[in-house]
């Protein structure tokens, strides 16, 4: 039996194209992805408010977080935990060149459980002394 490879290659390409189209449609139309994204966005927005209330000291902050990543600052992520979220990112105050990393753990209601920052600001150090949830780590 002689197989016409030209026709078979067209049939194969058409079959693969249909399969990819079907899987793409299933992935795009999945409502769970949109719901998960909306929850993650709400958690990151809440983490921004918490971060600004703790480290801003009245100055405006430039943020690099999972919703607005600044490449030069470094990696950021949001990670689901059993009973909350872990959010990491970077911030810097207006006029500063150095990005300061932070790691925040939030519970299921988006309330602060713990936060670790690399910051040498005296006001933040004073807040860390008075609040067990806030930890200041050494700059590496």
């Amino acid at each position: 039996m002689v197989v016409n490879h030209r026709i078979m290659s067209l049939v194969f390409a058409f079959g693969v194209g249909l399969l990819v189209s079907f899987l793409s449609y299933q992935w795009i139309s999945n409502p769970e992805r949109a719901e998960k994204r909306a929850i993650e966005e709400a958690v990151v927005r809440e983490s921004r408010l918490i971060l600004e209330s703790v480290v801003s000291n009245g100055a405006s902050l430039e943020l690099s977080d999972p919703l607005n990543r600044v490449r030069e600052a470094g990696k950021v992520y949001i990670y689901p935990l059993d009973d909350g979220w872990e959010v990491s990112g970077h911030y810097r105050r207006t006029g500063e060149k150095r990005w300061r990393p932070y790691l925040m753990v939030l519970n299921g209601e988006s309330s602060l459980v713990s936060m670790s920052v690399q910051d040498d600001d005296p006001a933040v150090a004073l807040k860390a002394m008075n609040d067990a949830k806030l930890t200041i780590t050494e700059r590496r």
Side-chain angles (χ1 to χ4, degrees):
M1 177 172 166
V2 177
V3 176
N4 188 342
H5 292 287
R6 184 179 188 113
I7 293 174
M8 289 307 290
S9 65
L10 290 174
V11 168
F12 177 76
F14 184 71
V16 169
L18 282 176
L19 180 65
V20 168
S21 298
F22 175 74
L23 294 176
S24 295
Y25 175 75
Q26 292 295 323
W27 186 68
I28 290 170
S29 63
N30 184 356
E32 292 176 6
R33 280 188 48 231
E35 292 169 2
K36 182 180 176 187
R37 173 73 182 190
I39 292 169
E40 289 175 350
E41 286 179 5
V43 168
V44 172
R45 285 191 184 97
E46 188 65 30
S47 73
R48 286 177 177 177
L49 296 174
I50 293 169
L51 180 69
E52 288 179 0
S53 70
V54 172
V55 301
S56 72
N57 300 328
S60 63
L61 296 177
E62 187 177 353
L63 298 174
S64 173
D65 60 22
L67 291 181
N68 182 30
R69 180 173 180 239
V70 179
R71 227 173 233 260
E72 77 178 54
K75 294 184 178 186
V76 299
Y77 69 89
I78 179 168
Y79 183 76
L81 301 174
D82 291 335
D83 58 343
W85 297 90
E86 198 169 84
V87 180
S88 80
H90 299 82
Y91 68 93
R92 67 179 174 189
R93 293 179 186 88
T94 304
E96 289 183 345
K97 291 186 178 184
R98 186 170 89 77
W99 288 93
R100 301 172 186 279
Y102 70 90
L103 176 64
M104 188 179 304
V105 178
L106 304 172
N107 64 15
E109 291 81 38
S110 297
S111 298
L112 182 65
V113 174
S114 67
M115 182 167 62
S116 175
V117 297
Q118 284 185 5
D119 201 332
D120 52 5
D121 186 51
V124 176
L126 182 62
K127 286 181 185 179
M129 290 176 63
N130 297 327
D131 189 357
K133 295 178 182 178
L134 179 61
T135 306
I136 297 178
T137 59
E138 295 291 324
R139 183 177 174 192
R140 295 179 219 177

